[in-house]
Amino acid sequence: MLWRLVVAILGVCLIPSCLSDVQLSSNVILEPYDLLFDTAVEAYYKGDWMTVILNMERALRNKAAIRRVKAHCRITCANQSAFGEPLSSMVVPVPGAGSVEDLGFFQKIMKRADCVNTCESEKIGPPTIHKVTEDVDLEFKKRTPYNYLQVAYFKINKLDKAVAAANTFFLANPDHMEMKQNLDYYRMMAGVQQEDFKDLEARPHMAEFLAGKRYYSSDSFGLAIDHFEAAVEEYFSADQECRALCEGAYVYDGYNYMEYSADLFQSMTDHYMQILNCKQRCSVELASTAGKDKPFEDFLPSHFNYLQICEKYEQAIEWAKTYLLFHPEEEVMNQNLAYYSAMLGEDKAAAISARLVVKQHIQQSLLEKELLYFAYEVFGITFVDPDSWTPADVMPLKLREKQKTERETAARITEEIGNLMKEIETLVEEKNKESTDIAKIVREGGPLLFDDIKITMTSKQLNGSQRVLLDGFISEGECRELTRLSNAAALKGDGYQGRPSPHSPYESFQGVTVLKAIKLGQEETVPLKSARLFFDMSEKVRGVMESYFRLDSPLYFSYSHLVCRSAIDEKQDDRDDLSHLVHADNCLLVSELNECIKEPPAYTNRDYSAILYLNDDFEGGDFIFTELDSKTVTAEVRPQCGRVVGFGAGNENPHGVRAVTKGQRCAVALWFTLDPKHEEKVTYLSVNSSGIVYIMSFFLSFYVVMGYFVI
Ligand SMILES: *[C@@H]1O[C@H](CO)[C@@H](O)[C@H](O)[C@H]1NC(C)=O
Ligand SMILES: *[C@@H]1O[C@H](CO)[C@@H](O)[C@H](O)[C@H]1NC(C)=O
């Protein structure tokens, strides 16, 4: 860590400004790309766009350079362990058997290790400083740097680069809605060209393959062939690089390193099998492309299937034979080959053989698979063959039989689990139906607790369920007192992130919470008595709701808000909006689908809602219940002082408020929860007798009852 810091500081003056080539001058220390990334992210939050660009571009360049150097060094050092001639220093010639030959073998290994180390250190500095955490690795895999770059380029008006960065990021994150919008926006901007939508991380073999496929599907076969040929060439250099990069450190499985105690040959076996497994996975790695969930199937062989459509029979025969190396029994390809051969002449055709590089590739891959299967059988080191073309007999017979029984067992278990799940679902559905039926019947009509409160309408009269309209909660005087409280507190927009007209541009909005009212009372900005009235009235509504809806468990405050909406006089012509859009309180209403989804950001823990009205001297502002479509009004309620509309907070009760077109409409909106965890909390700073400041947190009701709130 310390070493890394030193390097990071020195790095700035040691690094030549451009490191885009493998031919790096010797003895440089490449700046670690995770540090550059961090610097860029920090600069991003300061809005220092040039620093973001400088560091992020350099991070990407350095990461690519490290990759190139590692592959390059491992590939060029491979000849160091070639067992060609006998070693000059050895008396006994190789090959042979015995401890002296072991020395020869390990000498080769050490020379190769030395070669790789020297090569890497010369070009990028000590390899350990380029180790990054998994998190950083993931960010680069997700192409996050391009997200930052996109913003930075845009801010300094480098539109073409912003578009390329945005596109590069989006390709790897196709579900990223914001970036999709950005790209749509860029597309409409003047000065943006189609060519700007680049993939800055495109890999040549995949780019050629995709280009080939594009031309193929638009029937431009000549161009398609050119690209597929280039793709094959690029494939093998990409494969070589991928395999070289596999030759890394041993990766311990979980905490295995704590008890790992394999001997020399066992640990060499373990490590080497891990490397071979990785090398085998290269065929999947190369068949994968950013943003596509699954790799292309049978990727390499498919190239030759495309290529055999070429015009010249010589080439068509070569590609067909190459394809058949993978799938020798494939009927159509065999027919094609027979046809091409007949057209060209059988003798000439027989002289043409499959591509050598592909033959060698298959041979090497099959040898690797054999070793891996051996390790599987003998040491239990799992190997899953990624290729579909492997002949069946490469896998040892015993293993094949074992896998067959395992597959059958797995299929049986999956089926049984599937059946069980279906049964459970049916049971749950039936249960739900029963319980909602019961809820609808039983959960209404409990005692009202106070003599002066009267039921004006029940669920039935309100054309729905879990609804009630009550009158007589508070007196005219109390209504006026609460309205005054609201106007005195008149912190415009409180409770909605300080926006004065959060719901409708034609109305202004003011709100105050119980806690805010109490605090203002303590500061003597509003009468403390009125704040207490606000709390007591809320409590009264809570108690009546709990009782009327016959709840088995207590109802708690989730949130209470005294709100007034005022029509803005000069803005009332031709108005057709609502004062408060139709919504449900504990689910997200998707009116197009007639659905209400109970998940955040909806307040999913809210169970009941109530509104206590304070006045009626305004125009418009009626409360409405609707169907799930948010359009069909099922019931309307005219506000008046002391009236309460109470209802279940779920999908049975979408509701809204009609436009207030004249005057001011005031009400206390109350949300309740059955879950004590979500009761509204009071948190404030307190100072104890020794002068230490600490944070206190209480449930609202407790706070009031315990006399912290004294009048
Ligand atoms: C091994 O390859 C490197 C790089 O291509 C070359 O410089 C070196 O001479 C080769 N060594 C042997 C022993 O062939
Ligand atoms: C309930 O529906 C009926 C019939 O559509 C309607 O006349 C009545 O006004 C509705 N009730 C309320 C409270 O709006």
Side-chain angles (χ1 to χ4, degrees):
M1 193 60 215
L2 202 57
W3 164 232
R4 287 194 51 152
L5 276 177
V6 174
V7 170
I9 295 158
L10 289 179
V12 180
C13 34
L14 280 173
I15 310 303
S17 59
C18 183
L19 292 165
S20 58
D21 213 50
V22 173
Q23 306 302 321
L24 301 158
S25 55
S26 57
N27 298 320
V28 294
I29 296 174
L30 204 63
E31 240 181 313
Y33 64 90
D34 53 346
L35 291 180
L36 290 165
F37 177 78
D38 288 348
T39 311
V41 172
E42 216 170 278
Y44 180 89
Y45 288 107
K46 291 189 192 132
D48 181 356
W49 312 119
M50 289 313 291
T51 309
V52 174
I53 293 172
L54 200 75
N55 285 278
M56 208 54 107
E57 282 184 347
R58 210 188 272 169
L60 288 165
R61 267 204 310 271
N62 285 7
K63 182 172 188 297
I66 287 163
R67 191 185 153 93
R68 269 198 310 276
V69 166
K70 284 195 182 250
H72 164 83
C73 288
R74 286 169 190 168
I75 292 165
T76 53
C77 287
N79 61 10
Q80 301 288 313
S81 47
F83 284 91
E85 303 142 35
L87 294 170
S88 53
S89 55
M90 291 289 142
V91 185
V92 183
V94 181
S99 51
V100 176
E101 284 73 27
D102 273 359
L103 289 176
F105 171 75
F106 283 105
Q107 185 193 34
K108 291 281 188 193
I109 298 288
M110 284 197 290
K111 280 182 85 168
R112 185 156 167 184
D114 176 40
C115 175
V116 174
N117 268 338
T118 314
C119 174
E120 282 189 14
S121 310
E122 270 176 11
K123 294 185 170 79
I124 55 173
T128 46
I129 69 165
H130 298 296
K131 267 207 183 125
V132 300
T133 61
E134 270 175 37
D135 294 347
V136 173
D137 202 37
L138 190 66
E139 294 298 345
F140 278 83
K141 275 212 183 87
K142 291 194 310 200
R143 302 190 175 183
T144 308
Y146 292 96
N147 197 352
Y148 289 101
L149 276 173
Q150 182 253 152
V151 177
Y153 287 136
F154 179 77
K155 295 277 184 184
I156 63 158
N157 266 323
K158 288 251 189 269
L159 217 49
D160 55 335
K161 291 197 160 192
V163 172
N167 194 54
T168 304
F169 177 79
F170 184 66
L171 285 172
N173 302 276
D175 299 325
H176 201 282
M177 278 305 124
E178 250 173 69
M179 197 58 85
K180 187 175 185 325
Q181 283 168 8
N182 286 349
L183 284 168
D184 289 344
Y185 172 66
Y186 284 135
R187 241 172 237 117
M188 293 187 304
M189 279 172 82
V192 173
Q193 319 277 327
Q194 188 49 42
E195 305 86 80
D196 294 338
F197 292 84
K198 291 183 185 122
D199 179 3
L200 300 171
E201 292 275 312
R203 293 178 301 169
H205 76 279
M206 185 54 78
E208 295 289 357
F209 178 77
L210 294 176
K213 265 170 73 89
R214 262 199 313 279
Y215 284 119
Y216 184 87
S217 46
S218 61
D219 293 345
S220 309
F221 297 123
L223 284 168
I225 296 294
D226 292 347
H227 283 286
F228 282 122
E229 277 185 13
V232 172
E233 203 153 296
E234 293 290 354
Y235 181 93
F236 286 108
S237 65
D239 187 53
Q240 193 187 30
E241 187 186 57
C242 176
R243 284 163 169 274
L245 290 171
C246 279
E247 293 169 357
Y250 183 62
V251 183
Y252 289 92
D253 185 11
Y255 285 96
N256 274 358
Y257 67 92
M258 307 244 280
E259 51 199 40
Y260 189 75
S261 61
D263 72 4
L264 173 64
F265 292 101
Q266 185 60 53
S267 63
M268 283 171 70
T269 302
D270 291 345
H271 195 160
Y272 192 57
M273 285 308 112
Q274 201 173 68
I275 303 291
L276 274 193
N277 240 311
C278 171
K279 289 187 177 193
Q280 282 280 312
R281 297 286 306 165
C282 281
S283 67
V284 178
E285 161 74 20
L286 294 183
S288 310
T289 176
K292 194 168 175 284
D293 280 350
K294 282 193 184 145
F296 285 103
E297 262 173 51
D298 214 23
F299 183 60
L300 179 60
S302 71
H303 286 69
F304 310 117
N305 195 6
Y306 284 114
L307 279 164
Q308 52 98 25
I309 52 143
C310 66
E311 277 180 15
K312 291 216 180 83
Y313 291 122
E314 285 91 341
Q315 266 152 30
I317 290 169
E318 182 186 356
W319 294 128
K321 285 187 173 176
T322 306
Y323 181 86
L324 290 168
L325 292 175
F326 294 97
H327 301 289
E329 309 295 329
E330 230 263 349
E331 214 172 304
V332 178
M333 193 59 80
N334 275 306
Q335 282 168 11
N336 288 357
L337 178 60
Y339 171 77
Y340 302 141
S341 304
M343 296 306 286
L344 185 70
E346 297 293 344
D347 291 350
K348 270 195 198 159
I352 299 171
S353 45
R355 267 286 159 105
L356 187 61
V357 61
V358 181
K359 241 185 215 168
Q360 287 167 342
H361 174 81
I362 292 178
Q363 273 166 0
Q364 181 182 343
S365 185
L366 288 178
L367 275 175
E368 286 173 355
K369 291 179 204 291
E370 275 170 29
L371 284 194
L372 283 160
Y373 277 130
F374 179 79
Y376 194 169
E377 269 205 303
V378 179
F379 308 113
I381 301 171
T382 318
F383 168 59
V384 180
D385 190 349
D387 295 316
S388 59
W389 50 263
T390 313
D393 57 3
V394 173
M395 189 191 281
L397 186 63
K398 259 203 231 146
L399 216 51
R400 250 180 290 164
E401 280 168 356
K402 192 165 153 245
Q403 290 203 343
K404 190 163 162 254
T405 34
E406 277 172 3
R407 261 201 306 276
E408 284 163 4
T409 316
R412 214 182 49 242
I413 292 176
T414 313
E415 196 190 325
E416 278 168 14
I417 291 179
N419 290 342
L420 200 64
M421 291 305 285
K422 261 187 226 139
E423 271 176 44
I424 292 174
E425 266 169 36
T426 332
L427 279 178
V428 169
E429 258 170 39
E430 280 169 12
K431 186 92 211 288
N432 276 350
K433 240 168 63 202
E434 270 172 33
S435 59
T436 42
D437 289 349
I438 289 171
K440 272 180 197 158
I441 300 161
V442 180
R443 291 214 159 157
E444 216 178 308
L448 294 176
L449 308 179
F450 299 89
D451 290 342
D452 34 6
I453 299 178
K454 299 270 176 303
I455 298 177
T456 307
M457 286 188 196
T458 60
S459 285
K460 197 160 176 247
Q461 288 159 306
L462 285 163
N463 301 323
S465 64
Q466 298 287 287
R467 301 175 179 176
V468 68
L469 190 65
L470 304 166
D471 276 306
F473 262 86
I474 58 176
S475 67
E476 285 287 344
E478 288 166 333
C479 281
R480 278 195 298 274
E481 185 173 347
L482 287 180
T483 307
R484 273 199 305 276
L485 170 66
S486 169
N487 287 329
L491 257 178
K492 290 200 171 187
D494 176 53
Y496 287 86
Q497 279 94 42
R499 287 177 293 156
S501 298
H503 299 299
S504 164
Y506 311 101
E507 294 175 19
S508 68
F509 186 87
Q510 71 193 34
V512 59
T513 60
V514 171
L515 184 62
K516 185 88 191 177
I518 292 171
K519 283 195 175 146
L520 291 173
Q522 284 164 342
E523 291 164 14
E524 298 180 354
T525 310
V526 301
L528 201 45
K529 192 165 89 32
S530 306
R532 176 85 210 202
L533 177 67
F534 181 8
F535 176 80
D536 287 346
M537 286 308 125
S538 303
E539 177 58 25
K540 187 170 178 182
V541 177
R542 190 200 62 74
V544 172
M545 290 287 286
E546 183 183 288
S547 169
Y548 179 78
F549 284 111
R550 296 184 188 276
L551 302 179
D552 314 326
S553 60
L555 203 54
Y556 302 94
F557 281 116
S558 162
Y559 197 67
S560 41
H561 206 192
L562 167 54
V563 293
C564 296
R565 308 152 188 273
S566 308
I568 301 173
D569 284 341
E570 57 274 23
K571 287 192 178 174
Q572 297 304 320
D573 299 338
D574 308 325
R575 214 185 135 178
D576 61 358
D577 70 333
L578 292 176
S579 173
H580 202 142
L581 281 180
V582 172
H583 62 280
D585 286 338
N586 73 11
C587 51
L588 298 171
L589 193 61
V590 188
S591 47
E592 295 81 13
L593 301 176
N594 278 328
E595 266 179 34
C596 203
I597 303 163
K598 199 166 175 180
E599 58 185 45
Y603 297 98
T604 54
N605 51 285
R606 290 179 177 173
D607 295 302
Y608 283 89
S609 307
I611 298 146
L612 165 64
Y613 295 105
L614 302 181
N615 64 326
D616 60 1
D617 51 346
F618 52 88
E619 285 173 19
D622 286 353
F623 176 94
I624 51 173
F625 283 114
T626 73
E627 304 272 14
L628 278 171
D629 66 4
S630 84
K631 289 178 196 68
T632 317
V633 176
T634 53
E636 267 180 81
V637 171
R638 179 68 200 165
Q640 70 179 49
C641 167
R643 171 168 282 186
V644 163
V645 58
F647 50 93
N651 64 0
E652 72 278 21
N653 284 321
H655 57 276
V657 179
R658 288 202 198 278
V660 177
T661 51
K662 191 165 185 191
Q664 188 185 46
R665 174 195 194 270
C666 292
V668 179
L670 297 149
W671 293 278
F672 307 106
T673 175
L674 291 166
D675 182 354
K677 282 201 301 297
H678 288 101
E679 187 181 357
E680 192 174 4
K681 287 195 191 69
V682 177
T683 305
Y684 66 102
L685 290 178
S686 184
V687 185
N688 73 4
S689 54
S690 349
I692 298 171
V693 178
Y694 58 102
I695 296 172
M696 297 181 76
S697 183
F698 298 106
F699 291 120
L700 182 62
S701 46
F702 183 72
Y703 178 84
V704 177
V705 173
M706 287 302 285
Y708 286 96
F709 172 44
V710 193
I711 299 176

